[in-house]
Amino acid sequence: SLVWAATPGMLFQEDKQPSPHPLSLSWVLGYNSSLGVHSLMDGEDQVLLYVSSHTVVIHDIVGNRQHHLQGHTNVISCLCVSEDRRWVATADRGPAALIIVWDSFSGIPVCTIFESHPEDGVGAIAISQDNKYLATISTGRVQRVCVWKWTSPTEKPLCSTELRPDFGYQDYVIFNPQNPHEFVSNSQTRVIFYLWVRATPQDDLPASPLSLQTFSSLVGHFSQSVFHFNNSQALTGTSAGKLVVWDRVDTSKEPRTKPHSMRATNLVPVQKEGLTVLKVLESCIVTGDVEGQVKFYNGQLQFLTCHSHSGVGPIRSISFSKTPPGPPSASPVTSQPDSSNSASLPPNRNFILSTSDATVVRVATGRISVDKVMAEAKRAVRALACHPRRELLALGSHCGLLKVWDYQHNKYLVSRVFTQAGIQCLAYDPEGYFLAAGFTDGSVYILDAISLQSSCKELKFSHGAVTHLSFSHDSEYLATADEKHSVIVYKRVLQDGSRCWEYLAGLYSHYKPIRSILFGLQLDSKEPRLLSLGEDRLLVEYDLKSSSKDNLVVSHRDRVEQVAVPLCLAWYPQLSTESFILTANNCYKMKLYNTTTKMCRKTLLGPTYGSPLEKIQILPTTKTTDPQKHYLVYITKDKVGLQILPVDGNPHKSSAFICHPDGASDLASSYDGRYVFTAGGDDCTVMKWEVNLNALDAAAALGGEDLIPFYNLLDGGREGKFFKELEDYFYYAQLHSQGIDTPEPRQVSTHIPLEEIPSVMRAMGFYPSEEKIEEMINEVKFSKFVDTGEQVTEINLGDFIKLYINHRPAFGLSMKRIRQAFQVLGYDNEKGDKVIDRGDLMSLLMSRGEHMTEAELAWCLSTLLGRRSAGGEGSSLDTHHPSGMALI
C-alpha cells in the first residue's frame, strides 16, 4: 500500500497533480500559535508541521513548499506527534468532531474516529511511545477521558472515565514513555494520574491540590506535566518558575495502586520566570519559559545549560530533531540516566521553538544565533487586498502588522508594524501606486504600494473603526465607511507641487452597519459614482460632482428590501443591454437592480451552503478566457465559493468549500483571476486558493440543462406529486382567466396571464407579500422590454417554475418561524405561556405592515375556514354564521 511503502520526504518528491475541484488550497499563511509546532525533519531538509485553522500544514522550509492534510470541518483544537515523527493525531471541537490519525510520510489519513466525544469535541490528545494508543480528554463541563487503540478497526474506546468539575479544566495530557498504560493530565490547579487496563478502567485519583499550606511558598498555576525518565517520578511546571516533584509514597508492588500513591513530595524553585513548556529529552529535563529561555537540567534537576535569545517571546512548544544516526557510543549523553553529575552535557540536537506571539525559530546547537523561520500575525487578520497589476497580496492584522506577500513565489517582500491601532481594512488604488489602510481607531493611512511608507499625513476623521475602503477608477476619490454608520470621502489635490489627499465631506447616511461601499462609472460619462449599502436596507447614491467641502450630497436613497437584510454589493458584468447592480441578502437571495432606476429586475436563489453570502466580488478575467464567461467569487460565514454568471438559481452553477470554520473575515482575488484569498479573522490565517474554472463548468454541465436542475428542486422532482399539483393549478388558472362558467370555446394555451401568478403561488404554499407580488410580476413583464420595447403579459409553465423556485423562501416556511413570530407579537400570561389576544392580532393585521381592510380580513378568514356562503368571491359574508364578521 501507499502507507507501507511511504518514506520520509516523499510528500514533496511527487509531481503535483491538478486538482479536480473548482477551488483547491494552494498555500496557508499563519498558524494557530496556541498549539505546538513540530519538527518532522531537520538537516538538509527542514520540515515543520503545524495547524492552521482546520488544516494541518507540512511545510518544507528550504524548498518553500507546503502539503496540506485536510479532513476536519471544525478548527483543530489539539494535536500530537509520535516519537518517530511518522504518526500525527489531530482532533477538533464542535459539531461532528473528529479524531484523525495521519501518516506524515504519505499524507494519508489512516484512521478516523467519529463521535469520539459527541457532546463537545476534544480538548487534549496524546499518543503513546509505542504508537498504539491515544488518550483524549473532552472539552465539556464534565470532562470525559478515553483511551483508544487506533490501530484496531473498532470505534469504541478501550476504556473511559468522567472527571468531576472540581478537578478543573484538564487541558494537557501525556503518556508515560516507559509504560503505555500510564498517563497524566493537568489543569491549572490539579494533576491527575491514570492507570488503565484492557478489562476494566482503574479509577483515577487527583493528587493532593497544592496550596500555601502544602509547601509554605507560592506554587503558581500548573502548565505541563511529564514523567521522569527514572520511571518513579513525575514533574509539573508552574507559572511561578517551580517544578513540582511527584513520587510514589506507597511501597506496595501492586501496579494498580500507583495512581493512588502518587503524591507531591517536593517543590523545586528552578527559576523566577514562569514555566510554559516541560519536556524530557533522553536524560535531560527541558523547560521553556515566558522570557523565551530554554533550559536543560539533569535527572536531579541540576542546571546544565541555557539557550536565551533576544526577541523570542513566551515559548509555546519545543520540538527537537530526531535522534541523529550513529552508534550509541557516539552520543555525548551520559550513560547514567539518573546521574547527579552536573557536568553532563545535553543531547546534541537542533530544536524548533514556537512562541505565543506567533513566531517560530530554529535553534542549531553550537551556534550563537537563531534562525527565524516564521513571524506571523498574533492577532486577528481581517484585511486583504490584491494588487491590480502585480502578484502581490497585502494583509493586515489587529496587532498592527501589515505585510506584502508575493503570491507567485510564496514569499514575504516587505512589512510594517503600526503600534497605535489594528488594521481593519485595505485597498489598492486602480493603478497600484497607493495602498490605503483603515484602522480600528478611525484613522486612514495612504501608503506607497511598494515600500509601505506614508505618502501623506494620517487622515483621521472617523469616530469609529474604518470598515470599508474604496478608490474611484481615476484615483481622484477615496471613500471610507466606519462602524458609526458614516461615509467619508477624501479627494486628491495638488498641494505645494505634489499631490496629496484631503478631507472632502462626510455623512451619517445609514442608521445601521454599512455592509458595502463601491465606486463605479456614470453610464453616460466617465464621472465616478459612489454607492453605499447598509443593514438598514438602504442603497444610497452620492452626487460627488455637486458635493463640496463639508457637504456630501445624496442623489438617491432607495429601500432595496422589505424584510431581508442586504449583506453585500457588486457591479454586475454587462451580460445584456441593461446594466445591473447585484446584491445578496440574508435570506439566500441574490437580486439585480437597474443601475439607473434602482428597480428590482430579478430575484434569484443564491448559494445555500449553511449561511448567506457575506462578501462578493466579480472574478477578474484574463485574455485567454472566453469574454462571454463571467464568474462570481464569494465567502459565507465559513466557506469560499464560485458562482457561474449569469445567476439564474441553478444550484449546480455554484460550488463552495470550507475555508475558515470559525468565520471568514475578508476576500480578495488576484488581478488575473487565477487565485482567491480568504482571511480567517480570529484564526490568524490567510488561505490561497487556486481557481479551476473548467471543473466548475463541468459540474454545471453534469447537473443538467434547461429545466432539469429546477425540477430537482421541487419536492419529489419531475415525477413527484408536487409537480403534478403544480400542473393542475397552472391549467386551472387558465380556465379561471377565461371564466369558469363561460359558454365560449376554450383557448388551449401553454401560458397563463401574469395576474394569475399570485393565486398559483399561494396554491403551492408560498404566500408572498404585496410588494413581492409586484416584484414578481414586474420581473416577467419587463424581462424583454429593453431589447424589444414590449411588455410580456403571460408566462409559461417552465418560466413559472423558475420564478417560483427563485422567489419562494430558500428553506420553506417552517413552524419554528411561525412560532417565533407569535413569540414577538404575544405576551406572557399568568401561567408563563406566550399568548396573543384575538383583538390585538386583528388590530395588528389591519394597522401594521401591508395592512388589510376590515372587509379583506373578514373575507380571508372566512375563506380559510370554509365558512363562506355560495356565490364566489364577490358574494357577501354569512354574518349569521359563527364565522364571517363575527370573527372580527
Side-chain angles (χ1 to χ4, degrees), residues 791-813:
Q791 296 182 5
V792 177
T793 59
E794 55 186 12
I795 186 172
N796 61 30
L797 180 59
D799 290 338
F800 181 88
I801 290 173
K802 291 182 181 180
L803 191 72
Y804 169 74
I805 287 172
N806 282 318
H807 281 265
R808 70 177 180 177
F811 302 105
L813 182 62

Side-chain angles (χ1 to χ4, degrees), residues 526-557:
K526 292 295 183 181
E527 291 294 322
R529 61 189 298 193
L530 176 62
L531 303 173
S532 66
L533 180 69
E535 290 184 10
D536 53 8
R537 304 180 178 89
L538 292 179
L539 177 64
V540 181
E541 183 168 1
Y542 306 86
D543 187 348
L544 297 177
K545 194 172 183 179
S546 302
S547 298
S548 57
K549 186 72 173 180
D550 296 325
N551 180 30
L552 185 58
V553 178
V554 173
S555 60
H556 297 94
R557 195 185 298 266

Side-chain angles (χ1 to χ4, degrees), residues 127-135 147 174-183 194-197:
I127 189 168
S128 61
Q129 185 80 3
D130 60 6
N131 301 335
K132 292 182 179 180
Y133 304 105
L134 294 175
V147 177
I174 189 171
F175 274 95
N176 185 345
Q178 302 177 55
N179 183 358
H181 290 260
E182 294 181 24
F183 59 97
Y194 308 80
L195 175 68
W196 67 274
V197 292

Side-chain angles (χ1 to χ4, degrees), residues 840-855:
D840 292 341
L841 177 61
M842 301 303 172
S843 176
L844 287 170
L845 290 173
M846 291 188 292
S847 62
R848 303 295 293 271
E850 294 181 343
H851 55 271
M852 309 169 72
T853 65
E854 184 174 310

Side-chain angles (χ1 to χ4, degrees), residues 629-705:
K629 285 189 174 182
H630 293 272
Y631 301 84
L632 179 81
V633 59
Y634 60 85
I635 54 172
T636 67
K637 179 183 177 182
D638 60 346
K639 297 177 181 69
V640 58
L642 288 173
Q643 168 81 45
I644 298 174
L645 300 180
V647 182
D648 59 5
N650 181 354
H652 300 292
K653 294 173 68 172
S654 179
S655 181
F657 301 85
I658 295 175
C659 57
H660 303 278
D662 275 359
S665 61
D666 204 3
L667 168 73
S669 52
S670 63
Y671 72 93
D672 56 5
R674 293 176 56 201
Y675 300 103
V676 172
F677 304 90
T678 58
D682 293 333
D683 69 14
C684 302
T685 64
V686 173
M687 295 189 176
K688 169 186 170 185
W689 302 84
E690 189 171 352
V691 176
N692 183 354
L693 298 178
N694 291 332
L696 183 60
D697 291 336
L702 291 173
E705 297 180 348

Side-chain angles (χ1 to χ4, degrees), residues 735-883:
L735 298 176
H736 185 267
S737 66
Q738 298 175 26
I740 297 296
D741 300 324
T742 179
E744 301 296 326
R746 301 286 182 183
Q747 298 294 323
V748 179
S749 171
T750 58
H751 296 72
I752 61 171
L754 298 188
E755 294 77 16
E756 296 294 334
I757 288 178
S759 299
V760 182
M761 290 286 182
R762 290 166 182 151
M764 299 310 299
F766 168 40
Y767 305 98
S769 65
E770 294 301 317
E771 182 173 313
K772 178 68 71 175
I773 289 171
E774 184 179 357
E775 286 183 359
M776 286 190 293
I777 292 176
N778 287 338
E779 180 177 321
V780 182
K781 181 186 294 184
F782 297 106
S783 58
K784 299 178 182 179
F785 187 80
V786 175
D787 297 324
T788 65
E790 297 179 355
Q791 296 182 5
V792 177
T793 59
E794 55 186 12
I795 186 172
N796 61 30
L797 180 59
D799 290 338
F800 181 88
I801 290 173
K802 291 182 181 180
L803 191 72
Y804 169 74
I805 287 172
N806 282 318
H807 281 265
R808 70 177 180 177
F811 302 105
L813 182 62
S814 65
M815 184 57 67
K816 180 181 179 181
R817 287 199 60 187
I818 296 175
R819 290 196 183 100
Q820 287 175 345
F822 279 99
Q823 290 282 331
V824 174
L825 297 174
Y827 60 90
D828 294 322
N829 63 9
E830 61 276 3
K831 297 181 180 179
D833 299 326
K834 278 285 183 182
V835 296
I836 184 169
D837 182 76
R838 183 178 63 177
D840 292 341
L841 177 61
M842 301 303 172
S843 176
L844 287 170
L845 290 173
M846 291 188 292
S847 62
R848 303 295 293 271
E850 294 181 343
H851 55 271
M852 309 169 72
T853 65
E854 184 174 310
E856 287 174 336
L857 181 57
W859 183 87
C860 288
L861 292 175
S862 58
T863 301
L864 288 172
L865 295 174
R867 301 291 177 83
R868 292 187 53 77
S869 58
E873 184 174 328
S875 61
S876 59
L877 293 170
D878 182 3
T879 54
H880 299 286
H881 200 278
S883 62

Side-chain angles (χ1 to χ4, degrees), residues 152 195 231 374 419 444 450 456 492 535 551 562 712 755 765 821:
S152 65
L195 175 68
N231 200 28
M374 293 192 299
T419 56
V444 176
I450 303 301
C456 66
R492 201 172 172 203
E535 290 184 10
N551 180 30
Q562 184 180 27
N712 294 332
E755 294 77 16

